[in-house]
Amino acid sequence: MSRIPKMLEKARRAVLRRGLSREDADEIVQEAFIKVDAYAKTREVRSHEGLLVSTAVNLSIDSQRRSARAPFVQHPNVQLVSSNDPDPADILEARAKLEHLSDGIAHLNERTRRILLLRRLENLSYAEIAEREQMSVAAVEKHVARATLKLMQWMESW
């Protein structure tokens, strides 16, 4: 066994004695090795093994302190929890749903589609639409209600 694996194993055992899991211990030893290697490139080190073990132990202490202060930060999906961005799968699903709704609107007859869009998108009142389409308010209400019902049924089939 070469010198480096022995040093890493010694550091790993020291960290495991502090009560960390094997995965956490491996990560801490790796981080310690990288730090010691970078340090040794610019400074003289008498004992690489001693520096590696003490660095790993100190990193494990830091890790345990962080966990004690903010245990939720260790959650595996912390980026998802803290992000306000929608999930990419949700975006794709919403786009597909919108496309299906658009197809449903396209299946409405022209007058009903126009009335529904005036009401829902342009937010015109029933009276304003009735005046524009030269029909009664009750007829406009029926067109909107029927179109809404058809679209609800259309979306159920999706």
Side-chain angles (χ1 to χ4, degrees):
M1 197 179 217
S2 77
R3 187 170 164 234
I4 292 176
K6 286 181 184 177
M7 288 178 10
L8 293 174
E9 184 56 33
K10 188 170 184 179
R12 185 175 185 263
R13 282 194 313 265
V15 171
L16 285 172
R17 280 193 299 269
R18 297 204 43 82
L20 272 85
S21 70
R22 291 183 187 277
E23 295 82 19
D24 290 343
D26 289 340
E27 285 182 30
I28 285 175
V29 170
Q30 181 180 3
E31 183 181 350
F33 183 79
I34 292 169
K35 286 181 181 280
V36 168
D37 186 52
Y39 181 84
K41 286 179 182 177
T42 59
R43 295 175 185 91
E44 184 180 337
V45 177
R46 282 191 240 156
S47 170
H48 285 276
E49 183 177 293
L51 183 59
L52 178 65
V53 170
S54 63
T55 302
V57 168
N58 288 339
L59 288 172
S60 71
I61 291 169
D62 291 345
S63 173
Q64 289 173 326
R65 285 179 182 158
R66 269 192 308 275
S67 293
R69 274 193 315 248
F72 60 87
V73 174
Q74 299 301 324
H75 190 276
N77 294 324
V78 71
Q79 282 80 20
L80 294 176
V81 173
S82 65
S83 175
N84 291 331
D85 296 338
D87 184 37
D90 292 340
I91 293 171
L92 287 176
E93 184 179 346
R95 284 183 183 161
K97 196 173 189 177
L98 188 59
E99 196 171 308
H100 184 71
L101 177 62
S102 179
D103 291 343
I105 291 171
H107 279 84
L108 297 173
N109 71 51
E110 186 180 333
R111 188 173 200 185
T112 302
R113 179 177 47 247
R114 187 173 57 247
I115 291 170
L116 179 70
L117 294 177
L118 287 171
R119 178 70 182 137
R120 299 290 185 211
L121 295 182
E122 295 187 28
N123 207 24
L124 295 181
S125 68
Y126 291 113
E128 291 170 324
I129 297 169
E131 184 180 321
R132 213 185 247 199
E133 294 292 321
Q134 299 177 347
M135 55 193 318
S136 69
V137 173
V140 171
E141 290 172 348
K142 286 179 185 175
H143 275 277
V144 172
R146 286 186 185 136
T148 303
L149 181 62
K150 282 183 182 179
L151 289 175
M152 286 173 58
Q153 291 169 343
W154 177 264
M155 293 306 291
E156 285 176 3
S157 69
W158 183 67

